[in-house]
Amino acid sequence: MIDFTTSVPVIIDLKKILDVRGNLSIIEGEKDIPFIIQRTYWIYDVPGGEIRGGHAYKTLREFVVALSGSFDVVLNNGEKEMRYHLNRSYYGLYVPNMYWRHMENFSTNSVSLILADQDYDESDYIRDFDKFKAALNG
Amino acid sequence: MIDFTTSVPVIIDLKKILDVRGNLSIIEGEKDIPFIIQRTYWIYDVPGGEIRGGHAYKTLREFVVALSGSFDVVLNNGEKEMRYHLNRSYYGLYVPNMYWRHMENFSTNSVSLILADQDYDESDYIRDFDKFKAALNG
């Protein structure tokens, strides 16, 4: 069972329905992940080995799934770095707010699906690592 | 602009952010599609050429995107059949309630993403085409 009060990153196994006609994984908001899905986006056509990201969110929380291929999500809580290699579509990484993150080591033809608890809001981004550290200590 | 009062299927072009480091497509609930995203699921590892589905929903509405590969969504409103070939991750098909549907002609390694406005509820399914036709005719 998921700890919905978690404020640390956690890998969440998803419900899956296996079938010879193809497999299915499901997320219901606030049941399988700790929030209602307000926005979803996906990243594709990433050249193999590229790096994306390098920011934190003040309040936004996300859930990241490798729908195709694989990539690494690298998180930093201001004290240490954590690396998660995602390569299956039946689990994902819950990323709380106030974690610096980037994605790297994309396989060719990878597709990353991200579910977020908020609409896009530029004022929620922290794009400077020193400012992120200052905000943590503030 | 999307007609949010539509009760017929429609292809919706999505916002996309093109970047040499990879491309990104975005859906915000009730902005880019006609509903809040309550549930999301994806279908993968479908053997090429397989057929999935064959049901209608009394009230549930969905949005279907080909995140990888391609497939056909075949809809039936009780009078005629409509076929949509989905093969790009920057547009999708809005499927209102009370449309009989199945998916077929999956390419190998295709991934279909489906966003739904409700949690799973078996009582919302109509799994018999004759009952579907009867329900349409009131």
Side-chain angles (χ1 to χ4, degrees):
Chain A
M1 192 59 196
I2 315 158
D3 176 4
F4 276 85
T5 63
T6 184
S7 60
V8 295
V10 61
I11 293 285
I12 299 177
D13 288 319
L14 301 172
K15 287 189 288 239
K16 56 181 170 179
I17 298 174
L18 303 180
D19 191 308
V20 292
R21 298 165 307 143
N23 300 322
L24 196 150
S25 289
I26 306 156
I27 294 179
E28 294 185 346
E30 270 189 340
K31 290 185 180 173
D32 304 307
I33 57 174
F35 56 82
I36 292 284
I37 304 160
Q38 180 55 35
R39 179 168 54 123
T40 181
Y41 61 97
W42 45 92
I43 304 170
Y44 51 98
D45 294 345
V46 179
E50 192 56 70
I51 294 181
R52 290 199 62 115
H55 61 267
Y57 298 108
K58 294 174 193 168
T59 63
L60 182 141
R61 298 173 294 161
E62 289 191 325
F63 188 71
V64 184
V65 185
L67 280 203
S68 188
S70 65
F71 51 86
D72 293 351
V73 181
V74 183
L75 303 180
N76 191 311
N77 64 0
E79 294 179 351
K80 65 174 182 178
E81 190 172 280
M82 294 148 273
R83 178 178 296 266
Y84 301 85
H85 183 63
L86 302 184
N87 67 344
R88 293 283 184 273
S89 57
Y90 48 77
Y91 65 78
L93 176 64
Y94 170 64
V95 184
N97 58 312
M98 289 304 285
Y99 275 81
W100 190 265
R101 89 280 311 280
H102 75 265
M103 295 161 73
E104 65 180 32
N105 194 25
F106 288 92
S107 70
T108 302
N109 294 328
S110 66
V111 177
S112 44
L113 176 72
I114 295 109
L115 311 178
D117 72 345
Q118 298 175 29
D119 285 344
Y120 171 80
D121 175 8
E122 181 59 34
S123 72
D124 196 54
Y125 279 78
I126 304 177
R127 296 190 183 275
D128 179 285
F129 190 71
D130 289 336
K131 286 183 183 164
F132 167 67
K133 294 258 287 184
L136 283 172
N137 299 321
Chain B
M1 192 59 197
I2 316 157
D3 176 5
F4 277 84
T5 63
T6 184
S7 60
V8 295
V10 61
I11 293 284
I12 298 177
D13 288 319
L14 301 173
K15 287 190 288 242
K16 56 182 169 176
I17 298 174
L18 302 181
D19 191 308
V20 291
R21 298 166 307 145
N23 300 320
L24 196 150
S25 289
I26 307 156
I27 295 179
E28 294 185 346
E30 270 189 341
K31 290 184 180 173
D32 304 307
I33 56 174
F35 56 82
I36 292 283
I37 304 161
Q38 180 56 35
R39 178 168 55 121
T40 181
Y41 61 96
W42 45 92
I43 304 171
Y44 51 99
D45 295 345
V46 179
E50 192 57 69
I51 294 181
R52 291 200 60 116
H55 60 267
Y57 297 107
K58 294 174 193 168
T59 64
L60 182 140
R61 298 172 294 161
E62 289 191 325
F63 187 72
V64 184
V65 185
L67 280 204
S68 187
S70 65
F71 51 85
D72 293 351
V73 181
V74 182
L75 302 180
N76 192 311
N77 65 359
E79 293 180 349
K80 65 173 181 179
E81 190 172 280
M82 294 148 275
R83 178 177 296 266
Y84 300 86
H85 183 63
L86 302 184
N87 66 346
R88 293 284 184 271
S89 58
Y90 49 78
Y91 65 78
L93 176 65
Y94 171 64
V95 184
N97 57 314
M98 289 305 284
Y99 275 81
W100 189 265
R101 90 279 313 278
H102 75 266
M103 296 161 73
E104 64 179 33
N105 195 26
F106 289 91
S107 70
T108 302
N109 294 328
S110 66
V111 177
S112 44
L113 175 73
I114 295 109
L115 310 178
D117 73 344
Q118 297 175 30
D119 285 344
Y120 171 80
D121 175 9
E122 181 60 34
S123 71
D124 197 53
Y125 279 76
I126 304 177
R127 297 189 183 275
D128 179 285
F129 190 72
D130 288 337
K131 286 182 182 163
F132 167 68
K133 294 258 288 184
L136 282 172
N137 297 322

